[in-house]
Amino acid sequence: MSTRTTSLFFLTVLLNAGLLGLLPSPVLAAPPIPDPRFGVVETYAAPDAATALGVGWTRVTFRWNEIQPHGPHEWNVVPISDQTLSNELSRGRQVVGLLVTTPGWATDVDVGPGVPRGLDLPTDHPDNLWADFVRTVVGHYAGRIDHWIIWNEPDIPGTQHMSWGGSVDDFVRLLQVAYTVAKETNPEAVIHMAAVSHWWDEHWFGRFLDALGADPQAASSNYYFDVATLHIYFQPETVYDITAHYKGMMEGRGIRKPVWIAETNAAPSQDPAWPVPNAQFDVSLEQQAAHIVQALSLGIAAGAQRIAVYKMADTDTDRAANPEPFGLVRADGSRRPAFTAFRTATTYLAGFRGGSWDRRDSLSLVTIDRGDQTTTVVWARGAEAQTAMIPARTTRALLADVRGGARHVYPERGYYYLDLPPASCTQGCLIGGPPYLLVEEAPVSADTAPTPRSPTPPPTDGASPAFPVSPPATRGPTPTATPLPTDVPSPVGPRATTASPTATPTATATLTTEPTPSPSPSPTTPPTASPASAPSPTPTPVPTSPTGSGQPWVVVTLLILGVGGAALAATRARIWHRS
């Protein structure tokens, strides 16, 4: 019998005996995560889509009133089963827990909603109900969930969205008990200060920090939290302003903590699958996608250590809880354009070491340091199309758009020229125009042509920013916003320059399409994000030759300025494509 005949014979025997089903199946590894610092809330609602998206971390809300609705001896497995949690962890996603919502039987009704009974008792006293709950939850999930956010948006006042009815001092005690008990129960536990929304009461966090400072044991106890947390919605520029401002408030009091943006998004009101006729903001699907890229890049530039989008998928209960659809995935499994925008952004921002907001005039230009790579994110801020003139670090770059497309582009005489579509400004340019991501295989420090200067630099008096639009950072009616407090350090701001939609590098001085004018932050170098241990991937498989440091940039600049607008318009090419 030939070798081939023998092989076929034994294969037939195995098939007939059904033994092939007993052979071990190959283990399929989860696809690599571009950067574990980018997250999406509640990925377990669409785990396969989250894996395809490359989500690095997620958040699960543990509502005390659902886990122990009637007494301390109950334990309902909500909102996530051990099997579902194991599935999330096996896909490489870190899970962060959020503890919130005191049940009625445990509430101190004489103080206010949310405030547990026995909160002022020692943490080992059996009548300190909050201490007992934290001890039980943290111990149960130790090693699987080690990050815990203590409460949610305590700065919201007495509305349907209020979760905390106690004072700031009461909340400091809540945090103190949770921090002490969690660290005793699980020494690896990382405690997050409750995420604040800012817009409902923009002075709340300052009062909280002052109350901490009045506690003589706070400094020696790490101020009872390891990470500050924010929720920032609808206007991507405030992702930068609020993050930098809150970092400044802490640092001005000698408190240095990393900042995580645990929720950001701009829910669309114009989705045919879920129209919202009375939405607080008129947001298209394309604007939501643009918000994702802009918010992630500006969060990095402001110094956020991690950023997450709220949320993974629409669910059956969302229409009652939130009139607007926040999911990157619809309830029927179809994906909104924001899904692709998130994947594009996290691919080309992965491995970030820090960033800076270098232009904030007629266009926004954000530079992201990725070690051996640099990603420049750029978009028009107003209702007029713009042309960005970006100094080149290399002789070729990859240009990605918000829809996930990418092509090679080449500089002309030391600059990349990018035509930027205008923003939709029906509500005051809430979100900038469609962004582009320019990816260069060169470090931020690589030699470049001179950066164009702005004829209208920002003020240098260090004034706090007055945000042009005041959306709430939580779902619900729009509150009235007031200017930022002036008794705290202002956030550092961008180095502003200006470009024109015409062929010349000279810009119009102001934008008539912008919201109510407001002073820009001080033009000092923005803070950089704290590097994480995640490796820096190289998603762009395009080897390029970095531009040498000996190029005659001064001569090039004189030629550009001498030729003038008409000649430049006649000679330079727009974005041109070579494969």
Side-chain angles (χ1 to χ4, degrees), residues 6 60 64 72 147 155 166 259 270 272 293 353 360 380 382 399 409 428 434 439 448 464 564:
T6 303
V60 178
W64 187 6
H147 283 254
D155 56 327
V259 174
Q270 301 178 21
V293 176
R353 299 183 177 184
R360 188 180 188 176
L399 185 69
V409 294
V439 184
T448 67
S464 296

Side-chain angles (χ1 to χ4, degrees), residues 34-35 38-39 53-54 296 341-351 370 437 537 539:
D35 193 316
F38 295 114
L53 195 58
L296 264 58
F342 181 92
R343 182 165 55 194
T344 299
T346 57
T347 296
Y348 299 118
L349 301 178
R370 301 170 60 211
L437 298 93

Side-chain angles (χ1 to χ4, degrees), residues 4 22 32 110 212 220 226 252 287 297 300 334 375 384 401 442 499 504 515:
R4 180 173 181 273
L22 302 178
D110 293 332
L212 276 181
S220 61
D226 302 304
Q287 285 178 299
S297 60
I300 294 170
S334 61
T375 296
E384 297 179 2
D401 60 44
T504 75

